[in-house]
Amino acid sequence: MSNKMTGAQAVLESLKREGVDVVFGLPGGVLLPLYDAIYQSDLHHILVRHEQGAAHMADGYARATGKVGVCIATSGPGATNLVTGIANAYMDSVPMVAITGQVNTWLIGKDAFQEADITGITLPITKHNYLLRSAKDITRVFREAFYIARTGRPGPVLIDLPRDVTVDEVEFTWPEVSLPGYHPSFKAHEMQIKKAAKALMEAERPVIYVGGGVKYAAAHRELYSLATKINAPVTTTLMGIGCFPEDHPLSLGMLGMHGTKYANYAIQESDLILAVGARFDDRVTGKISSFAPRAKIVHIDVDPAEVGKNVRVDIPVVGDAKNALEGLEKEVSPKPKGAWNEKIDGWRKDHPLTYIPDMTIIKPQYVIEKLCELAPDAIITTEVGQNQMWAAQFFVHKDPQKFISSGGLGTMGYGFPAAIGAKMGRPECEVIDIAGDGSFLMNSQELATAVVNDIPVKIAILNNGCLGMVRQWQELFFEKRYSATILGRTSPDFVKLAEAYGAVGLRATKPSEVEPVIRAALATDRPTLMDFIVNPAEKVSPMVPAGATISEILELEWCDEGHIGHLEKHYSDQRKAIFGEEGC
Amino acid sequence: MRHTIAVIVENKSGVLTRIAGLFSRRSFNIDGLSVGATDNPEYSRMTITVEGDDEVLEQVIKQLSKLINVIRVTELVPAESVERELAVIKVTADKDSRSEIMQIVNIFRAKIIDVSARSMIIEVTGDEEKINAIVQLLRQFGIKEMARTGKVSMIRGARVIKA
């Protein structure tokens, strides 16, 4: 029997064999043959309203499920619109396959209509990429792409698909992956594990520093066993949030620029740091020369290039986090709590994460606390900036696949499409995008996608009428010159915006309205936007100023009255413009 | 410090771009690069000269190894390897200077591969220092044009670097 099919059909058959159940995309001229095949297949395709949304949806889907996310865009502008989403996935090591249309092979290089050299453009932001030149390579390339995307340190892989390649007939085969230049590390060296275990046992002030690698390796249980066996405190990066339950007495929460004071103090005082699947990013280490000055560093990472890249490492352990932590747990003997745990508990008591509650104006932190109280098991996605930091700080995270945020690239506009992707992957979960009024507008067009496809995600906008994080830096370091950060009356009425798309829009302007709005949102099975009008003067605290040592972490002083008045004026102007006099 | 590395790569389009792109993106300083076939047509061999301390070299090797098309990366320690570079040099040469230039060419075991009434092309092979030395000597006659290959390098003895 002949297995002859078109290239487009071979693409779909390859996706099916890789277990792909949903793709996010937007068609275009060169993709007509592929979309014609999709029309005739049972592949679930979610039509987006901007290709950037498709990339973030595939990314959110991948982070929520652990599977490879897939997005599709046409040649030229479609492909370049994916770029931010691909870069985002690359920085956060997200397994993704991006499929782009390309002009016919004989037109490549001729500056044809909607031609862009997308493999050239995405070279530095993909784990690998392919330009297919023949239909007979389709199955091999797709199989390799999925394999590369999900193994070792995961990452995005792009496949550029010229139009004629999707039209040509091909005999379907499913070749084994053979990549002579790709050997992802897996099993950690036993000798190194033994050395690491010995160092852990000898340490008096150990800290386990956990990043996204633990999440991708699904090693959170092994982490829990190890940490609780030796009573070592655990701090996570933004990417590692949820890998260790934050309500556990050994949890230090997040470290770094907006981490907890006690996590940063613990790192600086520690005599041993066990870094697992984390990469000593500048937002974590602060001033690198004075980072953890007394600590021996054990670094477990699946990517050998991360070991020794930013800090000197005493005991490198190259391997999969699950495998390494399991080995480590077997090598160590139980240790009781001691003076180190007491010291940390003292810091925790003296410097808790906190904010000043307010009875008249909504504090953004209060909204997060209420969301956590009313939807503790929800998947939280975030935009980028203050909303993201408050979501990291004030929601109690317990599940690594339930906190989804753009860490490395810091992409505003990420959270909402990522929420849609997450909801497609985990429909049984409540999914809430914690957003800012600035970020949300960057991909708000995906409200149409959520409504049309009936994907009931919830959006909580912490509406402070400004680009809050940048405004905060201007307040602290640029003498309150608010250059281009006050959005004021330029923002739309978000409730009406939601309604215009056919979604539900709700608003809270007073603290007493927060809970009823959240309850109402959780009670609907439609996409719902909650617009929380919050204090514009609120800052993310504590904070390590850029370039400072992480123990020089500041509790930010409350604003002087005059300053609040200044912001309030912008703010009330904005509210008047939207809600009329009574909204103030 | 200068380091020489041999990189065996898949002989596919775009591989050179990937490697050059990696060097510029990670701010590694590339001093020299030569590419050519190996005995196996599926693979090419690059010899790359990198400027940097041992930590930079370690990162260069690790980052190169991450590229899917890179099969093997090996540092070539100068004391344990032979290095060669080729240069062709066009010098001003008339009847007065021709014989003197030929003497220099003989001393360096170089070759004259083209002669005209007013010029000569000299081909010279050797390590970098040797080529620098002949270039220095030929300057007095006037160098009109020069092309150098960048070095290729191989470990002495029976050890091999193969895919």
Side-chain angles (χ1 to χ4, degrees):
Chain A
M1 200 183 76
S2 168
N3 272 330
K4 274 226 179 288
M5 54 175 76
T6 64
Q9 286 166 332
V11 168
L12 296 188
E13 181 61 26
S14 302
L15 293 178
K16 197 172 178 179
R17 294 208 181 192
E18 288 296 341
V20 175
D21 49 17
V22 61
V23 299
F24 306 91
L26 196 116
V30 298
L31 284 182
L32 278 163
L34 182 68
Y35 270 81
D36 191 50
I38 289 175
Y39 189 80
Q40 297 173 59
S41 78
D42 51 8
L43 179 69
H44 192 169
H45 176 268
I46 298 289
L47 172 64
V48 299
R49 293 302 189 271
H50 186 290
E51 291 86 350
Q52 187 187 348
H56 292 328
M57 284 175 208
D59 176 315
Y61 171 90
R63 294 195 211 204
T65 62
K67 296 198 280 185
V68 179
V70 180
C71 56
I72 304 178
T74 193
S75 65
T80 55
N81 278 347
L82 287 181
V83 167
T84 302
I86 294 171
N88 188 74
Y90 185 69
M91 286 290 265
D92 288 348
S93 310
V94 179
M96 181 199 278
V97 169
I99 302 166
T100 50
Q102 182 55 276
V103 300
N104 287 311
T105 47
W106 58 86
L107 287 173
I108 292 176
K110 311 277 189 213
D111 301 321
F113 175 65
Q114 291 195 328
E115 182 188 356
D117 173 15
I118 197 64
T119 46
I121 290 168
T122 58
L123 214 64
I125 54 164
T126 48
K127 190 168 169 186
H128 194 52
N129 64 23
Y130 294 91
L131 167 58
L132 270 167
R133 287 186 179 270
S134 163
K136 70 173 174 21
D137 294 331
I138 288 175
T139 51
R140 175 183 60 81
V141 163
F142 271 77
R143 210 166 173 188
E144 285 178 8
F146 277 85
Y147 178 71
I148 292 169
R150 69 168 175 258
T151 51
R153 179 181 184 172
V157 178
L158 180 136
I159 303 171
D160 203 16
L161 206 55
R163 186 189 169 281
D164 53 318
V165 170
T166 64
V167 176
D168 289 347
E169 284 230 320
V170 65
E171 189 81 30
F172 188 88
T173 56
W174 194 237
E176 289 297 321
V177 171
S178 161
L179 291 163
Y182 181 62
H183 311 282
S185 42
F186 176 68
K187 210 168 162 6
H189 201 284
E190 223 165 286
M191 214 32 230
Q192 294 305 97
I193 298 263
K194 284 208 160 76
K195 272 193 208 166
K198 186 161 174 282
L200 261 182
M201 293 318 291
E202 284 168 2
E204 286 172 7
R205 302 183 305 280
V207 177
I208 305 179
Y209 149 54
V210 170
V214 170
K215 165 168 144 171
Y216 293 124
H220 48 288
R221 285 184 200 89
E222 289 74 9
L223 169 70
Y224 188 88
S225 307
L226 174 69
T228 50
K229 188 170 181 182
I230 59 170
N231 278 298
V234 180
T235 180
T236 69
T237 65
L238 185 74
M239 299 308 300
I241 279 181
C243 288
F244 193 77
E246 291 182 339
D247 52 357
H248 192 281
L250 288 172
S251 170
L252 300 174
M254 186 170 72
L255 81 165
M257 183 173 273
H258 292 297
T260 62
K261 280 192 161 181
Y262 39 97
N264 287 359
Y265 291 163
I267 286 281
Q268 288 305 88
E269 290 271 314
S270 73
D271 62 353
L272 180 108
I273 291 175
L274 173 65
V276 196
R279 58 184 175 87
F280 297 89
D281 169 83
D282 56 282
R283 284 294 189 267
V284 159
T285 62
K287 188 177 172 190
I288 197 109
S289 57
S290 55
F291 175 76
R294 294 170 199 87
K296 212 179 215 187
I297 293 179
V298 180
H299 192 177
I300 301 175
D301 208 292
V302 75
D303 180 357
E306 285 304 338
V307 180
K309 187 181 84 178
N310 292 341
V311 295
R312 47 149 195 93
V313 170
D314 299 286
I315 306 173
V317 184
V318 175
D320 172 78
K322 194 180 184 85
N323 171 283
L325 287 173
E326 200 172 27
L328 210 47
E329 197 260 339
K330 283 195 191 115
E331 287 291 325
V332 295
S333 25
K335 247 183 170 178
K337 283 195 176 180
W340 177 231
N341 300 87
E342 271 170 41
K343 189 162 194 182
I344 287 174
D345 289 341
W347 284 327
R348 195 197 315 265
K349 222 174 100 206
D350 294 343
H351 310 283
L353 260 188
T354 186
Y355 66 98
I356 299 175
D358 196 302
M359 299 298 285
T360 55
I361 188 158
I362 302 175
K363 287 291 183 100
Q365 301 93 329
Y366 175 73
V367 176
I368 311 279
E369 284 179 343
K370 277 286 159 195
L371 284 168
C372 185
E373 184 189 318
L374 298 170
D377 296 320
I379 293 178
I380 298 298
T381 70
T382 79
E383 303 293 340
V384 167
Q386 290 183 315
N387 61 80
Q388 177 184 36
M389 291 297 113
W390 286 319
Q393 292 176 331
F394 289 93
F395 200 98
V396 182
H397 304 280
K398 294 172 208 159
D399 182 330
Q401 288 186 332
K402 288 188 171 174
F403 181 74
I404 295 177
S405 190
S406 167
L409 196 66
T411 312
M412 288 171 72
Y414 168 78
F416 177 43
I420 294 176
K423 185 74 183 172
M424 286 306 298
R426 303 277 300 274
E428 76 287 1
C429 293
E430 191 70 64
V431 182
I432 305 170
D433 170 35
I434 294 177
D437 47 323
S439 289
F440 179 71
L441 279 184
M442 290 200 179
N443 271 313
S444 60
Q445 78 286 345
E446 300 308 330
L447 275 168
T449 308
V451 170
V452 169
N453 295 287
D454 199 13
I455 307 167
V457 295
K458 309 290 151 66
I459 305 140
I461 298 182
L462 306 174
N463 186 348
N464 59 6
C466 57
L467 300 170
M469 188 58 95
V470 180
R471 188 207 63 73
Q472 170 170 339
W473 282 61
Q474 289 171 334
E475 176 184 332
L476 297 169
F477 309 112
F478 290 86
E479 297 170 336
K480 302 176 185 174
R481 289 186 296 275
Y482 296 125
S483 178
T485 50
I486 306 297
L487 303 173
R489 61 178 81 230
T490 59
S491 282
D493 178 332
F494 286 105
V495 171
K496 282 187 187 153
L497 181 74
E499 287 167 356
Y501 279 103
V504 178
L506 303 165
R507 178 173 292 125
T509 54
K510 301 197 279 279
S512 61
E513 292 167 356
V514 171
E515 184 167 334
V517 160
I518 296 173
R519 283 190 187 280
L522 295 175
T524 76
D525 53 2
R526 289 166 57 200
T528 304
L529 184 153
M530 297 168 269
D531 186 20
F532 297 102
I533 309 299
V534 300
N535 179 15
E538 201 65 23
K539 292 190 285 287
V540 176
S541 175
M543 177 182 190
V544 180
T549 302
I550 60 168
S551 52
E552 293 165 11
I553 183 163
L554 309 173
E555 204 68 66
L556 297 180
E557 296 300 322
W558 304 103
C559 307
D560 54 87
E561 288 300 317
H563 178 56
I564 293 182
H566 171 70
L567 276 175
E568 276 287 286
K569 190 178 171 310
H570 282 285
Y571 183 66
S572 62
D573 283 353
Q574 175 206 13
R575 286 206 287 189
K576 262 182 221 156
I578 298 173
F579 320 121
E581 289 297 329
E582 121 201 36
C584 309
Chain B
M1 221 175 112
R2 271 175 124 189
H3 305 273
T4 305
I5 49 177
V7 187
I8 308 289
V9 300
E10 287 184 277
N11 187 12
K12 287 185 176 167
S13 69
V15 175
L16 182 60
T17 317
R18 285 178 200 277
I19 287 175
L22 176 71
F23 274 78
S24 69
R25 182 166 84 87
R26 299 259 175 208
S27 308
F28 300 145
N29 288 320
I30 209 164
D31 273 357
L33 171 76
S34 67
V35 198
T38 65
D39 56 322
N40 182 340
E42 283 183 36
Y43 302 113
S44 304
R45 176 168 173 143
M46 295 185 182
T47 309
I48 303 178
T49 318
V50 194
E51 182 68 42
D53 57 20
D54 289 348
E55 277 165 34
V56 170
L57 176 71
E58 186 187 325
Q59 268 297 304
V60 168
I61 292 175
K62 283 175 166 178
Q63 295 291 351
L64 280 172
S65 304
K66 275 171 75 171
L67 296 177
I68 310 287
N69 303 121
V70 169
I71 308 293
R72 186 176 295 272
V73 188
T74 315
E75 189 196 1
L76 296 164
V77 183
E80 295 165 15
S81 42
V82 283
E83 298 179 346
R84 286 295 178 271
E85 193 174 326
L86 183 140
V88 282
I89 308 157
K90 187 179 284 182
V91 288
T92 310
D94 51 26
K95 58 180 177 4
D96 298 332
S97 60
R98 203 169 287 140
S99 62
E100 200 180 335
I101 292 171
M102 284 168 70
Q103 274 181 8
I104 292 171
V105 165
N106 281 335
I107 291 166
F108 279 86
R109 279 184 249 166
K111 274 190 230 163
I112 294 160
I113 53 176
D114 181 71
V115 187
S116 74
R118 280 168 308 179
S119 73
M120 273 178 162
I121 299 179
I122 293 155
E123 174 202 309
V124 58
T125 325
D127 59 20
E128 203 183 343
E129 288 72 32
K130 175 180 167 183
I131 293 175
N132 288 346
I134 193 170
V135 167
Q136 196 54 42
L137 280 170
L138 293 172
R139 260 188 221 291
Q140 56 182 311
F141 307 102
I143 292 176
K144 296 159 90 75
E145 193 181 344
M146 176 165 75
R148 287 172 78 154
T149 57
K151 83 178 158 198
V152 291
S153 186
M154 193 171 276
I155 301 176
R156 292 178 190 272
R159 221 184 110 205
V160 294
I161 301 169
K162 272 197 138 175

